Amino acid sequence: MTTWRDTTSEHVQSDLDRLLNTVLPFADEMLRKHGEFYPYGAAITREGEEQVFAADTGETDDPNPSEVLTSLVNGMSAEANDLRAAALVSDVTSEKTDAIMVHLEHADSMAITVVLPYRFADEDAAASDLEYEDMAATPAEALIWRRSLC
């Protein structure tokens, strides 16, 4: 089976792996402490520095995650010329599972979504009893660099 790594340059793979390794520990920490988290982002600048993105939720105590994500996309898109790679991280829930979803995108025409399913070992246990399943990556539509990826 062909994966995104088979058709992606080494420098793009390196940037996306770096971002994934940057954003996942914070998601894990928030899940263990609070059982959930609001969307956030991270990027690698053209100069190779890491930058963290958070949406301004104003004075709202419980902002809508979809609105937070939209704000992040808009903010990162506005800075796209200064970035070479970006990650948007969300806590998602479906009928089947809860998961950390990471949208990874590179200025060199690459976008994938990585999903890391999780569950708490015991509904009554502390949030620190977190278990992860296998991570899966699928092609995605560009959000930050919205040009055609073909």
Side-chain angles (χ1 to χ4, degrees):
M1 174 186 273
T2 303
T3 70
W4 69 275
R5 291 186 186 281
D6 297 328
T7 58
T8 307
S9 70
E10 200 171 303
H11 86 274
V12 170
Q13 289 181 45
S14 177
D15 281 347
L16 297 184
D17 286 341
R18 180 176 164 195
L19 277 175
L20 196 58
N21 290 328
T22 296
V23 299
L24 285 178
F26 182 72
D28 178 76
E29 179 183 345
M30 291 297 98
L31 287 171
R32 290 179 189 279
K33 285 184 179 177
H34 306 289
E36 63 182 355
F37 62 88
Y38 286 103
Y40 63 96
I44 298 175
T45 67
R46 293 273 177 198
E47 293 77 32
E49 295 181 17
E50 292 181 14
Q51 187 175 354
V52 176
F53 285 82
D56 180 5
T57 58
E59 308 230 355
T60 307
D61 288 338
D62 191 21
N64 180 315
S66 180
E67 291 174 9
V68 173
L69 193 56
T70 298
S71 177
L72 286 167
V73 168
N74 292 340
M76 293 173 94
S77 295
E79 294 188 35
N81 289 337
D82 297 326
L83 307 175
R84 69 179 193 216
L88 295 161
V89 188
S90 303
D91 185 10
V92 297
T93 302
S94 71
E95 292 176 8
K96 297 179 182 177
T97 189
D98 294 322
I100 299 169
M101 185 174 73
V102 183
H103 174 86
L104 294 165
E105 200 167 321
H106 202 281
D108 290 349
S109 301
M110 177 68 188
I112 61 172
T113 297
V114 174
V115 177
L116 178 58
Y118 69 85
R119 67 182 181 86
F120 294 102
D122 183 351
E123 292 291 327
D124 297 324
S128 61
D129 293 330
L130 187 58
E131 296 177 352
Y132 291 102
E133 297 176 20
D134 292 336
M135 189 180 306
T138 57
E141 183 178 325
L143 300 174
I144 308 302
W145 292 275
R146 291 184 182 149
R147 64 188 180 279
S148 171
L149 294 180
C150 299

